[in-house]
Amino acid sequence: MSSNHNKEAYVWIWLPEETKPVVAGRLEADNGNILFNYGKSYLERTRDKKSAIAIYDPELPLKVGVLPLLEGLRMPGCIRDAAPDAWGRRVIINKKLGLKGAGTDTDELDELTYLLESGSDRIGALDFQRSPTEYVPRSANYVSMEELVESARRVEKGVPLTPELDQALFHGSSIGGARPKALIQNEGKKYIAKFSSSTDLHSVVKAEFIAMRLAALAGLSVAPVKLTKAANKDVLLIERFDRKQKAQGWSRKAMVSALTLFGLDDMMARYASYETFAEIIRHRFTDPKATLEEIFSRLVFNILCGNTDDHARNHAAFWNGKSLTLTPAYDICPQGRTGNEASQAMLISGNNNLSQLKSCLATVHNFLLSETQARVIFEKLITAIEQNWDSVCKEAELNEVEKKLLWGRQFLNPFSIVVS
């Protein structure tokens, strides 16, 4: 498979408020690792006061030479944040190798290939090119939502895409996550479109819409969402907050995942914890007190709505070269469960990750909250879910059977609301 392996790639970055990228440096494959060093022209920007920023400090500080990897990592976390995840990799494998089915080994291609073959409109402010001097975006012409739904269905089945659908879905291949999705633009806004999957046992798309809407109504900072239909399938549109339209084009906001903040990779994600997250927020985030309360409230809401997929890639921060600021929540998706007992993806207190309000009470001090304040948050979020449930379900056109499948199972499961 040597023809499917790349040895180098150039990192291009959109500096704050700019609409055109500049080359920042070079990635090189080295004995199973991916190493980075800044380009001379980029480092000179710091001396010329042209506002060059570290891709992410302290991981990739503005220094000359090949930068060492953090212990245990095979590539910089802030670069891996911009790489495609499971769904995007399946799209690229479909495009490059024509391999069939969901079980294809993603190791068929290397990390640099995934960076270079995925769409350019990826999350955050980075892109990857084969050239250090010429930027050529990998994007697609507009296609209808129905065509995107069809292309997602074909990838799930392992059927090679037509050239038109190939390009359309490939455009969204850089977006993270495991579920079928694509990128669209409409009326001056950019969206991530999430589709139903052939393996869904219930309406996952509608459930995520309901959770996101309820979270917003409960006062959490959440990306705006819309629900639509295409090819008789539900499609969730999540408005992107890492893009801003300007007269000259689109500017991009740099972002890093909580996994990168922790200095962990996907293999070490089980060590990620809300306690560590709180410590990082206290020391490195803008407005730490309000941010701590927001993250604590998101943890509580995840438990109350049955979102146990709150892993460290589903939390993120904007990075402006100096400080970190929490992004809106963007992936609150209730997970299917059969029994009552459930666990969160990140540790809550010590080695405990049980999906119960009781677990949250054990960690309130890390968030600079009192037990009384925590109980007020519990009550506020539970009340918001109860009071808005019927109206939001109506927005989602959920029938009574679907409502009963979610209520008391994912939403306000008796196990989750145990406080003592």
Side-chain angles (χ1 to χ4, degrees):
M1 287 286 177
S2 58
S3 61
N4 294 315
H5 287 251
N6 286 275
K7 298 299 182 188
E8 66 176 16
Y10 292 91
V11 180
W12 290 66
I13 186 170
W14 277 254
L15 294 171
E17 302 302 321
E18 297 295 326
T19 57
K20 302 284 186 189
V22 296
V23 67
R26 177 174 175 265
L27 292 168
E28 181 181 10
D30 179 55
N31 198 28
N33 294 328
I34 306 292
L35 302 177
F36 175 80
N37 68 285
Y38 285 105
K40 183 182 175 185
S41 64
Y42 191 75
L43 291 174
E44 283 173 351
R45 285 176 165 268
T46 60
R47 290 193 283 273
D48 297 340
K49 304 208 181 319
K50 290 182 182 174
S51 69
I53 65 171
I55 292 175
Y56 173 58
D57 209 355
E59 188 176 43
L60 294 181
L62 288 168
K63 292 182 178 178
V64 175
V66 176
L67 299 175
L69 292 168
L70 298 183
E71 186 178 353
L73 298 190
R74 306 298 296 270
M75 68 187 295
C78 57
I79 300 295
R80 177 62 181 85
D81 283 342
D85 281 337
W87 172 253
R89 290 171 189 240
R90 285 175 64 183
V91 173
I92 292 165
I93 284 171
N94 182 300
K95 175 186 171 72
K96 292 283 289 179
L97 305 178
L99 295 179
K100 307 286 194 292
T104 302
D105 184 3
T106 55
D107 288 338
E108 290 283 347
L109 300 175
D110 64 290
E111 287 295 335
L112 287 181
T113 296
Y114 284 123
L115 292 176
L116 288 166
E117 293 292 338
S118 47
S120 290
D121 200 10
R122 65 191 73 241
I123 296 297
L126 301 180
D127 193 24
F128 307 93
Q129 298 279 311
R130 288 182 167 82
S131 168
T133 56
E134 183 184 15
Y135 180 77
V136 182
R138 298 178 297 281
S139 57
N141 295 325
Y142 175 78
V143 297
S144 71
M145 195 81 76
E146 285 77 13
E147 290 173 303
L148 288 171
V149 169
E150 169 62 16
S151 62
R153 186 187 67 79
R154 290 171 72 93
V155 167
E156 281 201 298
K157 288 188 171 183
V159 179
L161 298 173
T162 65
E164 297 78 19
L165 294 182
D166 182 2
Q167 281 303 307
L169 207 62
F170 163 71
H171 179 45
S173 61
S174 52
I175 304 299
R179 293 186 57 79
K181 58 181 66 68
L183 295 173
I184 66 166
Q185 185 174 327
N186 187 35
E187 296 177 351
K189 292 181 178 176
K190 293 198 174 196
Y191 298 91
I192 295 171
K194 289 188 174 182
F195 310 121
S196 303
S197 169
S198 58
T199 59
D200 290 346
L201 299 177
H202 67 281
S203 182
V204 175
V205 165
K206 284 185 175 180
E208 184 169 355
F209 170 81
I210 290 166
M212 294 281 281
R213 287 285 294 122
L214 287 172
L217 291 166
L220 299 183
S221 173
V222 182
V225 291
K226 295 196 290 191
L227 198 60
T228 187
K229 273 195 182 311
N232 213 29
K233 296 266 191 181
D234 296 311
V235 181
L236 177 67
L237 300 181
I238 304 170
E239 190 176 324
R240 293 184 66 173
F241 44 72
D242 62 335
R243 295 291 184 269
K244 182 178 171 185
Q245 191 168 34
K246 308 181 85 166
Q248 306 86 353
W250 291 88
S251 65
R252 304 189 178 195
K253 286 189 169 186
M255 285 170 53
V256 287
S257 71
L259 199 62
T260 292
L261 299 181
F262 297 150
L264 302 175
D265 65 10
D266 293 286
M267 300 299 291
M268 300 186 283
R270 64 187 179 279
Y271 300 115
S273 75
Y274 281 97
E275 286 182 296
T276 305
F277 201 7
E279 184 180 357
I280 293 169
I281 289 168
R282 290 197 303 269
H283 291 101
R284 300 196 58 212
F285 273 62
T286 58
D287 201 0
K289 191 171 187 302
T291 303
L292 287 167
E293 184 173 335
E294 172 72 17
I295 282 292
F296 182 81
S297 298
R298 290 185 193 182
L299 165 60
V300 172
F301 189 85
N302 282 334
I303 288 172
L304 294 176
C305 79
N307 175 30
T308 53
D309 193 36
D310 57 338
H311 57 78
R313 284 207 185 281
N314 281 342
H315 300 281
F318 295 122
W319 165 251
N320 65 5
K322 296 177 182 174
S323 57
L324 298 160
T325 303
L326 190 67
T327 72
Y330 52 87
D331 203 334
I332 307 175
C333 186
Q335 304 296 302
R337 63 204 278 177
T338 47
N340 283 329
E341 188 167 318
S343 301
Q344 298 305 118
M346 290 208 326
L347 298 169
I348 299 171
S349 175
N351 289 319
N352 172 36
N353 66 342
L354 282 180
S355 306
Q356 291 184 303
L357 296 185
K358 182 167 67 172
S359 303
C360 300
L361 279 184
T363 194
V364 288
H365 59 285
N366 290 303
F367 294 86
L368 307 184
L369 296 168
S370 67
E371 187 173 313
T372 300
Q373 288 172 309
R375 289 177 183 274
V376 168
I377 291 170
F378 297 167
E379 186 60 34
K380 175 189 171 188
L381 297 181
I382 290 171
T383 300
I385 292 170
E386 291 174 338
Q387 291 182 347
N388 294 295
W389 174 253
D390 287 330
S391 63
V392 172
C393 286
K394 190 174 180 181
E395 279 184 62
E397 298 181 355
L398 217 63
N399 62 40
E400 287 303 313
V401 173
E402 290 172 320
K403 284 171 72 172
K404 285 177 182 173
L405 280 172
L406 292 175
W407 189 257
R409 293 187 185 183
Q410 279 89 333
F411 290 87
L412 303 189
N413 186 291
F415 178 82
S416 70
I417 56 179
V418 172
V419 180
S420 58

Short mmCIF file of all heavy atoms in Angstrom, two decimals, residues 308-346:
data_model
loop_
_atom_site.label_atom_id
_atom_site.label_comp_id
_atom_site.label_asym_id
_atom_site.label_seq_id
_atom_site.Cartn_x
_atom_site.Cartn_y
_atom_site.Cartn_z
N THR A 308 -24.49 9.96 26.93
CA THR A 308 -23.31 9.37 27.56
C THR A 308 -22.08 9.44 26.63
O THR A 308 -21.01 8.97 26.97
CB THR A 308 -23.57 7.89 27.93
OG1 THR A 308 -24.05 7.20 26.77
CG2 THR A 308 -24.62 7.79 29.04
N ASP A 309 -22.26 10.08 25.47
CA ASP A 309 -21.16 10.21 24.50
C ASP A 309 -20.46 11.55 24.67
O ASP A 309 -20.10 12.20 23.70
CB ASP A 309 -21.72 10.07 23.08
CG ASP A 309 -20.62 9.87 22.04
OD1 ASP A 309 -19.63 9.20 22.37
OD2 ASP A 309 -20.77 10.38 20.92
N ASP A 310 -20.24 11.95 25.92
CA ASP A 310 -19.64 13.26 26.21
C ASP A 310 -18.11 13.15 26.30
O ASP A 310 -17.48 13.68 27.21
CB ASP A 310 -20.20 13.83 27.51
CG ASP A 310 -20.00 12.90 28.71
OD1 ASP A 310 -19.82 11.68 28.49
OD2 ASP A 310 -20.04 13.38 29.85
N HIS A 311 -17.52 12.44 25.32
CA HIS A 311 -16.07 12.23 25.36
C HIS A 311 -15.33 13.54 25.08
O HIS A 311 -15.93 14.56 24.72
CB HIS A 311 -15.67 11.14 24.38
CG HIS A 311 -16.09 11.40 22.96
ND1 HIS A 311 -15.42 12.28 22.14
CD2 HIS A 311 -17.12 10.91 22.22
CE1 HIS A 311 -16.00 12.33 20.97
NE2 HIS A 311 -17.05 11.50 20.98
N ALA A 312 -14.01 13.49 25.22
CA ALA A 312 -13.23 14.73 25.22
C ALA A 312 -13.13 15.40 23.85
O ALA A 312 -12.72 16.55 23.77
CB ALA A 312 -11.82 14.45 25.77
N ARG A 313 -13.50 14.71 22.78
CA ARG A 313 -13.57 15.39 21.49
C ARG A 313 -14.88 16.16 21.34
O ARG A 313 -15.02 16.95 20.40
CB ARG A 313 -13.44 14.39 20.33
CG ARG A 313 -12.03 13.93 20.11
CD ARG A 313 -11.79 13.52 18.66
NE ARG A 313 -10.45 12.97 18.52
CZ ARG A 313 -9.34 13.68 18.44
NH1 ARG A 313 -9.42 14.99 18.48
NH2 ARG A 313 -8.17 13.10 18.31
N ASN A 314 -15.83 15.89 22.19
CA ASN A 314 -17.11 16.59 22.13
C ASN A 314 -17.16 17.81 23.05
O ASN A 314 -18.22 18.35 23.33
CB ASN A 314 -18.27 15.64 22.45
CG ASN A 314 -18.62 14.78 21.25
OD1 ASN A 314 -18.24 15.10 20.12
ND2 ASN A 314 -19.32 13.68 21.47
N HIS A 315 -15.99 18.22 23.53
CA HIS A 315 -15.83 19.51 24.22
C HIS A 315 -14.70 20.23 23.50
O HIS A 315 -13.72 19.60 23.10
CB HIS A 315 -15.45 19.32 25.69
CG HIS A 315 -16.45 18.57 26.50
ND1 HIS A 315 -17.60 19.14 26.99
CD2 HIS A 315 -16.48 17.27 26.91
CE1 HIS A 315 -18.28 18.24 27.67
NE2 HIS A 315 -17.63 17.10 27.64
N ALA A 316 -14.80 21.54 23.36
CA ALA A 316 -13.76 22.26 22.63
C ALA A 316 -13.66 23.70 23.09
O ALA A 316 -14.57 24.23 23.75
CB ALA A 316 -14.02 22.21 21.12
N ALA A 317 -12.54 24.32 22.72
CA ALA A 317 -12.30 25.73 23.06
C ALA A 317 -11.79 26.47 21.84
O ALA A 317 -11.06 25.91 21.01
CB ALA A 317 -11.28 25.83 24.19
N PHE A 318 -12.21 27.73 21.72
CA PHE A 318 -11.58 28.61 20.73
C PHE A 318 -10.18 28.97 21.23
O PHE A 318 -9.96 29.13 22.44
CB PHE A 318 -12.39 29.91 20.57
CG PHE A 318 -13.77 29.72 20.01
CD1 PHE A 318 -14.88 30.13 20.71
CD2 PHE A 318 -13.95 29.15 18.74
CE1 PHE A 318 -16.16 29.98 20.20
CE2 PHE A 318 -15.23 28.99 18.21
CZ PHE A 318 -16.33 29.41 18.95
N TRP A 319 -9.26 29.13 20.29
CA TRP A 319 -7.87 29.50 20.62
C TRP A 319 -7.50 30.71 19.78
O TRP A 319 -7.57 30.66 18.54
CB TRP A 319 -6.93 28.34 20.33
CG TRP A 319 -5.47 28.68 20.28
CD1 TRP A 319 -4.68 28.72 19.18
CD2 TRP A 319 -4.63 29.03 21.39
NE1 TRP A 319 -3.39 29.06 19.51
CE2 TRP A 319 -3.33 29.26 20.87
CE3 TRP A 319 -4.84 29.17 22.76
CZ2 TRP A 319 -2.26 29.62 21.67
CZ3 TRP A 319 -3.77 29.53 23.56
CH2 TRP A 319 -2.50 29.75 23.02
N ASN A 320 -7.14 31.83 20.42
CA ASN A 320 -6.81 33.05 19.67
C ASN A 320 -5.31 33.36 19.66
O ASN A 320 -4.90 34.45 19.27
CB ASN A 320 -7.59 34.25 20.21
CG ASN A 320 -7.21 34.60 21.64
OD1 ASN A 320 -6.29 34.01 22.21
ND2 ASN A 320 -7.92 35.54 22.23
N GLY A 321 -4.52 32.39 20.09
CA GLY A 321 -3.08 32.60 20.16
C GLY A 321 -2.59 32.96 21.55
O GLY A 321 -1.40 32.87 21.84
N LYS A 322 -3.52 33.36 22.41
CA LYS A 322 -3.16 33.74 23.78
C LYS A 322 -3.99 33.00 24.83
O LYS A 322 -3.48 32.58 25.85
CB LYS A 322 -3.34 35.25 23.98
CG LYS A 322 -2.42 36.11 23.12
CD LYS A 322 -2.72 37.58 23.32
CE LYS A 322 -1.84 38.45 22.41
NZ LYS A 322 -2.22 39.89 22.51
N SER A 323 -5.28 32.88 24.57
CA SER A 323 -6.16 32.31 25.60
C SER A 323 -7.20 31.38 24.98
O SER A 323 -7.39 31.36 23.76
CB SER A 323 -6.86 33.44 26.37
OG SER A 323 -7.58 34.27 25.47
N LEU A 324 -7.85 30.64 25.86
CA LEU A 324 -8.88 29.67 25.47
C LEU A 324 -10.24 30.17 25.92
O LEU A 324 -10.39 30.72 27.02
CB LEU A 324 -8.59 28.32 26.12
CG LEU A 324 -7.29 27.64 25.72
CD1 LEU A 324 -6.88 26.60 26.75
CD2 LEU A 324 -7.45 26.98 24.34
N THR A 325 -11.26 29.97 25.07
CA THR A 325 -12.63 30.35 25.41
C THR A 325 -13.54 29.20 25.00
O THR A 325 -13.46 28.70 23.87
CB THR A 325 -13.05 31.62 24.66
OG1 THR A 325 -12.15 32.68 24.97
CG2 THR A 325 -14.47 32.04 25.05
N LEU A 326 -14.40 28.76 25.90
CA LEU A 326 -15.27 27.61 25.64
C LEU A 326 -16.15 27.87 24.41
O LEU A 326 -16.73 28.94 24.28
CB LEU A 326 -16.14 27.34 26.86
CG LEU A 326 -16.95 26.05 26.86
CD1 LEU A 326 -16.04 24.84 26.93
CD2 LEU A 326 -17.94 26.05 28.03
N THR A 327 -16.26 26.88 23.53
CA THR A 327 -17.18 26.98 22.40
C THR A 327 -18.59 26.63 22.86
O THR A 327 -18.77 26.00 23.91
CB THR A 327 -16.81 26.02 21.27
OG1 THR A 327 -17.11 24.67 21.68
CG2 THR A 327 -15.35 26.12 20.89
N PRO A 328 -19.61 27.00 22.08
CA PRO A 328 -20.94 26.46 22.35
C PRO A 328 -20.94 24.93 22.29
O PRO A 328 -20.08 24.34 21.62
CB PRO A 328 -21.80 27.05 21.22
CG PRO A 328 -21.07 28.29 20.80
CD PRO A 328 -19.61 27.96 20.95
N ALA A 329 -21.89 24.31 22.98
CA ALA A 329 -22.04 22.85 22.90
C ALA A 329 -22.51 22.49 21.49
O ALA A 329 -23.30 23.22 20.89
CB ALA A 329 -23.04 22.37 23.94
N TYR A 330 -22.05 21.35 20.96
CA TYR A 330 -22.35 21.03 19.56
C TYR A 330 -22.70 19.58 19.32
O TYR A 330 -23.01 19.20 18.19
CB TYR A 330 -21.17 21.41 18.67
CG TYR A 330 -19.83 20.85 19.13
CD1 TYR A 330 -19.40 19.59 18.74
CD2 TYR A 330 -19.01 21.60 19.96
CE1 TYR A 330 -18.18 19.08 19.18
CE2 TYR A 330 -17.78 21.11 20.38
CZ TYR A 330 -17.37 19.86 19.99
OH TYR A 330 -16.17 19.37 20.43
N ASP A 331 -22.70 18.73 20.31
CA ASP A 331 -22.96 17.31 20.06
C ASP A 331 -23.64 16.71 21.28
O ASP A 331 -23.05 15.90 21.99
CB ASP A 331 -21.65 16.59 19.75
CG ASP A 331 -21.86 15.31 18.95
OD1 ASP A 331 -22.96 14.73 19.07
OD2 ASP A 331 -20.96 14.88 18.22
N ILE A 332 -24.87 17.12 21.53
CA ILE A 332 -25.63 16.58 22.66
C ILE A 332 -26.63 15.58 22.09
O ILE A 332 -27.69 15.95 21.62
CB ILE A 332 -26.36 17.70 23.45
CG1 ILE A 332 -25.37 18.79 23.86
CG2 ILE A 332 -27.05 17.11 24.68
CD1 ILE A 332 -26.03 19.99 24.54
N CYS A 333 -26.25 14.33 22.09
CA CYS A 333 -27.06 13.31 21.43
C CYS A 333 -27.40 12.17 22.39
O CYS A 333 -26.51 11.39 22.78
CB CYS A 333 -26.31 12.74 20.22
SG CYS A 333 -27.30 11.61 19.24
N PRO A 334 -28.66 12.07 22.84
CA PRO A 334 -29.05 10.97 23.74
C PRO A 334 -28.72 9.62 23.13
O PRO A 334 -28.96 9.38 21.94
CB PRO A 334 -30.57 11.15 23.86
CG PRO A 334 -30.81 12.60 23.55
CD PRO A 334 -29.78 12.96 22.52
N GLN A 335 -28.14 8.76 23.94
CA GLN A 335 -27.72 7.44 23.47
C GLN A 335 -28.75 6.38 23.87
O GLN A 335 -29.35 6.46 24.94
CB GLN A 335 -26.36 7.07 24.07
CG GLN A 335 -25.27 8.09 23.79
CD GLN A 335 -24.95 8.23 22.32
OE1 GLN A 335 -24.58 7.26 21.67
NE2 GLN A 335 -25.08 9.44 21.79
N GLY A 336 -28.92 5.38 23.02
CA GLY A 336 -29.84 4.31 23.34
C GLY A 336 -29.40 3.55 24.59
O GLY A 336 -28.21 3.36 24.82
N ARG A 337 -30.37 3.17 25.41
CA ARG A 337 -30.05 2.37 26.60
C ARG A 337 -31.19 1.41 26.86
O ARG A 337 -32.34 1.70 26.62
CB ARG A 337 -29.78 3.27 27.81
CG ARG A 337 -30.96 4.10 28.27
CD ARG A 337 -30.51 5.34 29.02
NE ARG A 337 -30.20 5.09 30.42
CZ ARG A 337 -29.73 6.05 31.24
NH1 ARG A 337 -29.52 7.29 30.78
NH2 ARG A 337 -29.46 5.79 32.49
N THR A 338 -30.84 0.24 27.36
CA THR A 338 -31.85 -0.78 27.64
C THR A 338 -32.24 -0.76 29.10
O THR A 338 -33.40 -0.64 29.45
CB THR A 338 -31.34 -2.18 27.24
OG1 THR A 338 -30.01 -2.35 27.77
CG2 THR A 338 -31.28 -2.31 25.73
N GLY A 339 -31.23 -0.84 29.99
CA GLY A 339 -31.53 -0.77 31.42
C GLY A 339 -31.45 0.66 31.92
O GLY A 339 -31.44 1.62 31.15
N ASN A 340 -31.39 0.80 33.24
CA ASN A 340 -31.30 2.13 33.83
C ASN A 340 -29.86 2.60 33.95
O ASN A 340 -29.53 3.73 33.61
CB ASN A 340 -31.96 2.15 35.21
CG ASN A 340 -33.48 2.18 35.11
OD1 ASN A 340 -34.02 2.72 34.15
ND2 ASN A 340 -34.15 1.59 36.08
N GLU A 341 -28.98 1.72 34.46
CA GLU A 341 -27.62 2.15 34.77
C GLU A 341 -26.85 2.55 33.51
O GLU A 341 -26.94 1.91 32.48
CB GLU A 341 -26.87 1.04 35.50
CG GLU A 341 -25.52 1.48 36.03
CD GLU A 341 -24.91 0.49 37.01
OE1 GLU A 341 -25.66 -0.04 37.87
OE2 GLU A 341 -23.70 0.26 36.93
N ALA A 342 -26.13 3.66 33.62
CA ALA A 342 -25.33 4.15 32.49
C ALA A 342 -24.11 4.88 33.03
O ALA A 342 -24.06 5.25 34.21
CB ALA A 342 -26.16 5.08 31.61
N SER A 343 -23.11 5.10 32.17
CA SER A 343 -21.88 5.78 32.55
C SER A 343 -21.53 6.85 31.52
O SER A 343 -21.76 6.66 30.32
CB SER A 343 -20.72 4.79 32.65
OG SER A 343 -20.99 3.78 33.59
N GLN A 344 -20.98 7.96 31.99
CA GLN A 344 -20.52 9.00 31.09
C GLN A 344 -19.19 8.60 30.46
O GLN A 344 -18.45 7.77 31.01
CB GLN A 344 -20.37 10.33 31.83
CG GLN A 344 -21.67 10.87 32.42
CD GLN A 344 -22.77 11.02 31.38
OE1 GLN A 344 -23.81 10.36 31.48
NE2 GLN A 344 -22.54 11.86 30.38
N ALA A 345 -18.85 9.20 29.33
CA ALA A 345 -17.61 8.87 28.63
C ALA A 345 -16.39 9.42 29.36
O ALA A 345 -15.31 8.84 29.27
CB ALA A 345 -17.66 9.39 27.20
N MET A 346 -16.55 10.53 30.08
CA MET A 346 -15.44 11.11 30.85
C MET A 346 -15.67 10.86 32.34
O MET A 346 -16.80 10.84 32.81
CB MET A 346 -15.32 12.61 30.59
CG MET A 346 -14.84 12.93 29.19
SD MET A 346 -13.93 14.51 28.99
CE MET A 346 -14.65 15.64 30.11
#
